[in-house]
Amino acid sequence: MAQSALRPLLAALLVVMATAGVPKQGRWSPLDGARIVNGARALVGQFPHQALVLGDGVVLCGGSLISERSVLTAAHCTVNFKKYHIRLGGIHMTENDDTTIWTAEAIWARAHPEFNASGKSINDVAVIFLPEGAPLSMRSPPDLLQWTQVKVVPNNVCAQFYDTGNVIESTLCAIGEHTGGCSGDSGSALVIKTKDGFKQIGVVSFGSADCDTAKPSAYARVTSFLEWITRTAKMRK
């Protein structure tokens, strides 16, 4: 893993695990498993921070490695699960290659204290704690990890597409040209590329119920939760 991926992330590319299905409601269910819309396959080692998160043995969400022992994901990806299998270093959702993929079973996750699983999709961030430090030098085999490019849009524009109270100050919205996220992408990273590497600016939270790419998708704004993420993951600023 690149060292730049392990800093507290300020940091627009949407990077997700490709899966398949259609969500039935605004908050994308991690179990519905639809794939990124019109995404491109990732290259070897292109997004070293990307994690696949499996809750209780089922395909659940994406995430991003933010320290050797912690993965940032969406809070709704951690609800009602007892164990989390974290996979790093691979870009295929189902196949396993022991020479390139590192996995760990985690039993401890902490969602933001103001996240309400039965309410609106706000404060939708969580940290999953790894039982051991993840190796930092893995490369990914080219397969099904996908990415797309989107543009950040003002929240007052985004709010026109969703129920009142879903898009708040700590929400960040972005939209692509006939491309974007869908269910199964929850918890994945919205990043910008800088000269120092990728900087994460958002965590996939919710979007159009039918994955309509003419509508913006919503993310938890990392800068709004950076203090909580840093403190929870016991990371240095």
Side-chain angles (χ1 to χ4, degrees), residues 27-165:
R27 178 186 289 165
W28 288 335
S29 168
L31 298 180
D32 285 331
R35 68 188 310 164
I36 189 172
V37 181
N38 295 326
R41 290 194 177 190
L43 301 176
V44 174
Q46 188 174 3
F47 304 106
H49 56 270
Q50 181 70 25
L52 175 65
V53 179
L54 302 137
D56 288 347
V58 297
V59 174
L60 180 59
C61 287
S64 53
L65 186 70
I66 57 172
S67 79
E68 291 185 20
R69 288 182 174 267
S70 54
V71 169
L72 181 65
T73 188
H76 74 266
C77 294
T78 63
V79 176
N80 298 325
F81 291 94
K82 296 180 179 179
K83 295 181 180 179
Y84 308 91
H85 287 83
I86 309 300
R87 184 182 299 166
L88 298 165
I91 52 177
H92 193 286
M93 187 180 63
T94 55
E95 293 183 5
N96 196 0
D97 183 342
D98 292 336
T99 64
T100 60
I101 294 176
W102 182 87
T103 62
E105 182 179 284
I107 59 173
W108 183 26
R110 180 175 293 174
H112 192 278
E114 296 180 16
F115 173 74
N116 184 349
S118 60
K120 298 182 183 299
S121 297
I122 57 177
N123 305 310
D124 195 8
V125 292
V127 172
I128 298 175
F129 300 94
L130 302 176
E132 59 183 297
L136 306 181
S137 59
M138 296 176 300
R139 298 184 66 190
S140 301
D143 202 352
L144 292 182
L145 178 65
Q146 294 195 348
W147 67 277
T148 192
Q149 190 165 0
V150 293
K151 293 182 178 179
V152 173
V153 297
N155 278 14
N156 60 348
V157 173
C158 186
Q160 299 174 24
F161 295 91
Y162 298 105
D163 293 340
T164 302

